[in-house]
Amino acid sequence: MTTVIRPFIPATAKRLLPNRWDLIAFPLILGFLLFATTGIEGTWAPISALQTEPISLDAANLPEYALRTTLRMLAAMIASIVFTLVYGTLAAKSRRAGQLLVPILDILQSVPVLGYISFTVTFFLALFPGRVLGAEFAAIFAIFTSQAWNMTFSFYQSLRTVPNDLKEVSQNLRLSGWQKFWKLEVPFSMPGMIWNMMMSMSGGWFFVVASEAITVGDKTVTLPGVGSYLAMAISHKDLTAVGWVILTMTVVIIIYDQFLFRPLVAWADKFRLEDTMSQAAPESWVLNLIQRTRIIQQLLRPFGKLLKKLARMRLNITLPRAIHSAPHSGVSRGLDIVWGGVMVLLCGYVSWKLYSFISSEVGLGETFKVIGLGFITLIRVTLLIALASIVWVPLGVLIGLRPRLAEMIQPVAQFLAAFPANLLFPVFVVFIVHFKLNPDIWLSPLIVLGTQWYILFNVVAGASAFPNDFREAAANFHIKGWQWWKQVMLPGIFPYYITGAITASGGAWNASIVSEMVSWGDDKLAAHGLGAYIAQMTAAGDFPKILLGICVMSLFVVLFNRLLWRPLYAIAENKLRLN
């Protein structure tokens, strides 16, 4: 009888050996690193290479184009997250800063993306003269402007509605401002912020066409990407190429969903505000795969320990006091008066400069005409946001309360939100011309095709974050039907809905520029409205009237937000906080 002697392996040594999950995860990680390196490599090429290698409609080039576009959108997303954490914190925690930053944010979301490109492209090209990297930064910044605003509004809303009992717990634990930020406020904002990240990523597809074809003077710099491929396919009326673009977008969205957003949603479920566990928690095979690995866990552990150590540091950073933190002292009231005076002087100076420019270049008659067109677009935006709310609020609650259903709907919603609405414009033009319909009515739905998803995604985020304790309490008290909506669910999702409605409203004003004036071949249609006015003046190259239209649009957006959405925000903060 022979005795088999097996080598003894200590438990500590076993943890250093790969398991079968490592053998699956390692090729995926190496593949992503290889693709990222390949995509970044092209950014260091001379800008003349873009002229020698023009965009081709050969479908074999689409994988490379999709990789370049995906990396740009990911870089813009990282920049948006940093901007959100800094800007949203200052706006929410400092009363004086919020008086300036929140209206600026309202204006920023109302400025067309093309307006940002025209002012920033020269700056970025000058940073890296003769290199593709300058054009890449200009494209990334343009995509950033389509992603950052709704994420910032979501984070701002979350900071303003943190439950008071959680704040009291953080005070009893003597957490510093830095620790409270990373241990309470950021985790509390995660569910809403992640769903807005999905919407931002999807909304970025709408603007890749504009961001990847950059005009400098009389020269156009076209970056390789899905957007430039789509622009060429539309200009050549190549429906086959458009079909390849749709297929490529579908594949990329599925990859983003499986490898980025679904793991984030599953990870953020632990930040839900409840005492009992959700019956059906969201899952992600990628997150499960990483959690079961051995070597990758060992490699990630030092990084995780570093982040925990940074979050627990008692840094002596004094963040500005919140608007509802403490009564104002005499010194504080004096500072408020000085700050208010500075704000009034600043607004007065800007208004005087705009008035001087407009009165000398345009005239008051044209100004009153544009204001009238603004009221027409205001009526369109208001009615369309109301209709979108009636449709998507119940559906968003249905999806958000069922994690399994959310997992199935999530990639579909992302694809519909990412689908470039301008691909449907020719269909509307042909339909309206054929049946001789009124463009003022039938062009209106185009305004919310791309912006209605802000409402859906935010309502889903609110329903997903709704405490399971409250749902069980409502079931125990047999609260059903309209009473359940009125007393339980609508108050619970109200802050999230307001965030979605604000961003949808601002996006609708922006989309009116391309939706109130559309064309397909020789057929051109225009509706009466401020968006059509800006589009017509842009086509004519009349800069003073373009500036007049943008200023009036910004004024409407700011006043609409201050008179309607901000009071509703105050209701959400003071009466509908989850305490």
Side-chain angles (χ1 to χ4, degrees):
M1 181 176 179
T2 59
T3 302
V4 178
I5 301 176
R6 296 183 177 179
F8 172 72
I9 303 177
T12 56
K14 281 186 177 181
R15 288 197 295 266
L16 300 177
L17 295 177
N19 58 16
R20 63 180 184 275
W21 306 110
D22 286 297
L23 299 178
I24 299 174
F26 260 119
L28 292 176
I29 295 176
L30 292 177
F32 277 115
L33 292 177
L34 178 62
F35 284 131
T37 303
T38 304
I40 295 174
E41 184 180 0
T43 62
W44 296 101
I47 200 167
S48 57
L50 299 178
Q51 305 296 329
T52 58
E53 299 178 5
I55 301 298
S56 171
L57 290 182
D58 186 358
N61 295 321
L62 268 176
E64 179 186 353
Y65 294 164
L67 175 63
R68 298 286 292 271
T69 298
T70 301
L71 291 176
R72 292 184 194 110
M73 297 180 70
L74 185 60
M77 177 60 65
I78 294 173
S80 299
I81 293 173
V82 175
F83 176 85
T84 295
L85 295 177
V86 176
Y87 196 101
T89 301
L90 288 175
K93 287 182 167 292
S94 173
R95 177 168 42 84
R96 299 185 185 98
Q99 293 172 353
L100 177 64
L101 296 180
V102 175
I104 289 178
L105 195 62
D106 293 334
I107 295 173
L108 289 174
Q109 71 164 342
S110 67
V111 175
V113 173
L114 292 177
Y116 292 109
I117 295 178
S118 60
F119 287 104
T120 59
V121 62
T122 305
F123 168 76
F124 286 112
L125 290 178
L127 281 180
F128 305 95
R131 293 289 173 182
V132 177
L133 190 60
E136 291 283 356
F137 270 105
I140 291 171
F141 181 79
I143 299 173
F144 161 84
T145 61
S146 68
Q147 294 181 344
W149 317 138
N150 65 301
M151 292 172 56
T152 305
F153 272 120
S154 173
F155 188 63
Y156 171 83
Q157 167 255 314
S158 297
L159 292 182
R160 297 294 292 269
T161 56
V162 174
N164 288 327
D165 49 0
L166 294 182
K167 291 184 177 180
E168 292 175 359
V169 170
S170 66
Q171 292 174 357
N172 293 334
L173 294 175
R174 298 184 182 278
L175 298 181
S176 66
W178 176 263
Q179 292 172 327
K180 179 183 175 183
F181 181 74
W182 292 110
K183 291 294 184 179
L184 171 60
E185 294 167 341
V186 172
F188 179 77
S189 69
M190 274 296 107
M193 189 171 175
I194 288 174
W195 279 94
N196 274 278
M197 286 171 60
M198 297 182 204
M199 183 62 231
S200 295
M201 187 65 72
S202 299
W205 285 101
F206 188 83
F207 296 102
V208 292
V209 176
S211 63
E212 291 180 349
I214 303 170
T215 301
V216 185
D218 57 350
K219 185 174 70 173
T220 299
V221 178
T222 304
L223 295 170
V226 175
S228 54
Y229 184 96
L230 176 59
M232 179 169 287
I234 293 176
S235 64
H236 287 76
K237 295 185 178 181
D238 192 335
L239 295 179
T240 303
V242 173
W244 282 115
V245 170
I246 295 174
L247 178 61
T248 303
M249 286 175 53
T250 304
V251 173
V252 173
I253 290 170
I254 291 175
I255 292 175
Y256 258 123
D257 172 68
Q258 293 295 317
F259 288 92
L260 179 61
F261 291 124
R262 187 160 296 186
L264 287 176
V265 170
W267 169 75
D269 187 66
K270 64 182 180 181
F271 300 126
R272 288 167 59 93
L273 184 63
E274 59 189 14
D275 296 324
T276 60
M277 183 177 293
S278 178
Q279 296 178 354
E283 295 182 354
S284 167
W285 67 270
V286 173
L287 186 61
N288 293 337
L289 175 64
I290 294 176
Q291 291 173 344
R292 293 170 181 171
T293 58
R294 186 178 294 162
I295 297 297
I296 294 177
Q297 285 287 326
Q298 292 292 328
L299 295 176
L300 293 178
R301 187 167 286 114
F303 182 68
K305 289 182 178 179
L306 176 62
L307 292 180
K308 289 181 180 180
K309 188 174 181 179
L310 290 175
R312 292 172 179 172
M313 293 177 63
R314 298 193 64 86
L315 297 179
N316 294 322
I317 298 178
T318 304
L319 295 176
R321 288 189 174 183
I323 189 172
H324 45 266
S325 57
H328 302 309
S329 63
V331 176
S332 179
R333 286 194 296 269
L335 291 176
D336 287 343
I337 295 175
V338 174
W339 178 253
V342 172
M343 294 283 293
V344 170
L345 291 176
L346 179 62
C347 293
Y349 175 76
V350 173
S351 300
W352 177 75
K353 295 294 289 185
L354 288 174
Y355 172 78
S356 301
F357 176 78
I358 291 172
S359 60
S360 60
E361 298 289 339
V362 179
L364 293 179
E366 186 73 12
T367 303
F368 288 120
K369 171 189 172 182
V370 175
I371 293 175
L373 294 175
F375 277 105
I376 296 175
T377 301
L378 173 64
I379 294 174
R380 282 199 186 96
V381 170
T382 304
L383 291 177
L384 291 170
I385 294 298
L387 291 175
S389 301
I390 294 173
V391 173
W392 292 118
V393 167
L395 291 178
V397 171
L398 176 68
I399 296 170
L401 293 181
R402 294 164 176 81
R404 303 297 186 196
L405 179 61
E407 288 182 5
M408 295 184 291
I409 296 295
Q410 182 178 316
V412 178
Q414 282 182 249
F415 174 76
L416 293 176
F419 188 83
N422 49 3
L423 292 180
L424 298 178
F425 290 1
V427 178
F428 274 75
V429 173
V430 173
F431 178 78
I432 293 172
V433 172
H434 179 74
F435 291 98
K436 299 180 180 179
L437 302 175
N438 187 352
D440 287 326
I441 298 176
W442 293 96
L443 286 180
S444 299
L446 297 177
I447 294 178
V448 294
L449 282 180
T451 61
Q452 59 185 335
W453 309 108
Y454 289 109
I455 297 176
L456 173 63
F457 277 66
N458 278 277
V459 171
V460 170
S464 300
F466 191 77
N468 195 50
D469 310 343
F470 289 7
R471 294 174 58 187
E472 293 180 355
N476 292 334
F477 284 105
H478 302 287
I479 300 177
K480 300 178 180 179
W482 172 243
Q483 185 184 13
W484 180 82
W485 282 97
K486 182 180 179 181
Q487 297 182 351
V488 179
M489 186 50 58
L490 289 181
I493 65 170
F494 189 73
Y496 295 87
Y497 165 75
I498 295 299
T499 300
I502 288 178
T503 51
S505 176
W509 281 95
N510 203 331
S512 67
I513 297 174
V514 295
S515 302
E516 291 182 345
M517 182 178 175
V518 296
S519 62
W520 177 249
D522 296 330
D523 295 323
K524 300 182 183 298
L525 295 175
H528 294 87
L530 183 57
Y533 177 86
I534 295 176
Q536 291 168 351
M537 295 303 105
T538 301
D542 194 335
F543 182 77
K545 292 184 178 180
I546 295 173
L547 182 60
L548 172 63
I550 293 177
C551 289
V552 171
M553 179 174 288
S554 300
L555 178 64
F556 268 94
V557 172
V558 172
L559 290 178
F560 194 64
N561 288 353
R562 304 305 291 184
L563 296 177
L564 177 63
W565 299 125
R566 295 305 161 197
L568 293 179
Y569 246 136
I571 294 175
E573 294 172 13
N574 301 322
K575 296 184 179 181
L576 301 178
R577 187 191 303 268
L578 293 175
N579 291 321

